[in-house]
Amino acid sequence: MKIALLGYGKMGKVIEKIALNRGHEIVLQKSSSDSYSGLENADVAIDFSVPNSAVANISECLNSGIPIVSGTTGWIKDYPKMVALCEIKNGSFIYSSNFSLGVNLFFELNSYLAKMMSKLDSYSASIQEIHHIQKLDSPSGTAISIANGIIENSEYKNWSLDKNDNEHEIYIDAQRTEKVPGTHSVFYTSEEDTIEIKHIAHSRDGFALGSIIAAEWLVGKKGVFTMRDVLEINQNKNNI
């Protein structure tokens, strides 16, 4: 498989290493200032760039008929536009706030736990996420996905970075420190006890491997997909 890397920072280089080990070829290593020359030779593109480059990268791929996997966060307000463009172009697109296989299983556990906890008024939900200081967005896209998973399965209405007494808001404690690839925790706290679920990333390798597995899965398909499709968690969706 021929892969175009859109974003060639730390994540891009880890993706390259794992992709080469899996027998793939890298045909483009694009930093923000580089052109898209070579994209036309790719079977699929993987975007781990920065928030202000993601939409341009995804659009370029969809307009060029190149399947695109994006793990860049911080641009999600434009996600509906990219979905619409994919549909217009009959393209292939996967976005995930986190491509780690473990995190995507954590998402499912989080949603299931939220359904159970929604019946217990004595518990309040909160989220903590810890990342390296180079991470540009706060809270992380993964933390937002976790919050949305709770909101979709409970009486919570939104999330906030400010700790307050609003019983319909989920507090997200976003911390930045040295050399932390990503740690996410969900707490349900009552006066009597606390329930906690946690995912700890040991390195960037899990994110990189998941994005490559998603790219391998996406080639030959048409439509907008998620990691639930890749992992066959959502069995009711008809893949094209």
Side-chain angles (χ1 to χ4, degrees):
M1 189 170 70
K2 296 180 179 179
I3 301 174
L5 297 178
L6 307 181
Y8 196 56
K10 292 180 180 178
M11 268 301 300
K13 291 179 173 64
V14 175
I15 292 170
E16 179 181 50
K17 179 187 70 174
I18 295 176
L20 293 174
N21 287 340
R22 290 173 72 88
H24 301 308
E25 179 184 353
I26 306 301
V27 296
L28 172 61
Q29 301 156 323
K30 183 185 183 303
S31 298
S32 58
S33 60
D34 298 334
S35 75
Y36 290 98
S37 178
L39 180 63
E40 67 278 4
N41 299 319
D43 298 312
V44 65
I46 300 177
D47 167 58
F48 270 89
S49 55
V50 293
N52 60 5
S53 297
V55 171
N57 288 341
I58 297 165
S59 298
E60 182 71 22
C61 289
L62 293 175
N63 285 323
S64 302
I66 305 297
I68 172 70
V69 170
S70 178
T72 305
T73 58
W75 62 275
I76 197 63
K77 68 181 185 301
D78 291 314
Y79 178 74
K81 296 178 183 177
M82 296 299 96
V83 169
L85 179 61
C86 183
E87 292 171 349
I88 290 170
K89 296 294 183 179
N90 191 30
S92 311
F93 177 39
I94 293 177
Y95 165 75
S96 179
S97 60
N98 194 312
F99 277 97
S100 162
L101 304 183
V103 162
N104 281 275
L105 296 175
F106 184 84
F107 287 157
E108 298 303 310
L109 177 62
N110 172 63
S111 295
Y112 186 70
L113 180 58
K115 290 178 184 178
M116 292 192 294
M117 299 304 296
S118 66
K119 302 173 184 178
L120 303 174
D121 295 336
S122 60
Y123 288 87
S124 61
S126 62
I127 297 168
Q128 182 187 72
E129 61 100 341
I130 308 172
H131 281 89
H132 51 85
I133 59 176
Q134 290 80 24
K135 186 165 180 60
L136 298 179
D137 54 325
S138 180
S140 67
T142 301
I144 293 172
S145 293
I146 292 169
N148 287 337
I150 297 172
I151 291 167
E152 290 165 5
N153 293 286
S154 70
E155 297 299 316
Y156 286 98
K157 304 300 181 184
N158 48 47
W159 57 267
S160 174
L161 287 170
D162 298 318
K163 194 171 186 178
N164 55 56
D165 295 326
N166 188 333
E167 62 181 12
H168 296 297
E169 278 191 351
I170 303 166
Y171 170 55
I172 300 180
D173 176 20
Q175 300 183 18
R176 296 293 174 265
T177 188
E178 291 284 355
K179 298 180 180 179
V180 178
T183 298
H184 294 86
S185 303
V186 177
F187 303 93
Y188 286 91
T189 304
S190 72
E191 291 185 2
E192 294 74 30
D193 55 19
T194 297
I195 299 169
E196 176 185 0
I197 58 173
K198 177 183 287 189
H199 179 272
I200 303 171
H202 298 150
S203 70
R204 291 183 172 87
D205 288 20
F207 313 136
L209 176 61
S211 69
I212 295 167
I213 290 173
E216 293 169 347
W217 182 91
L218 184 60
V219 171
K221 297 179 175 67
K222 297 291 184 181
V224 178
F225 302 98
T226 71
M227 282 299 284
R228 299 189 84 232
D229 299 301
V230 177
L231 297 176
E232 298 184 350
I233 294 171
N234 186 356
Q235 297 290 346
N236 296 322
K237 184 176 179 66
N238 294 320
N239 295 333
I240 297 174

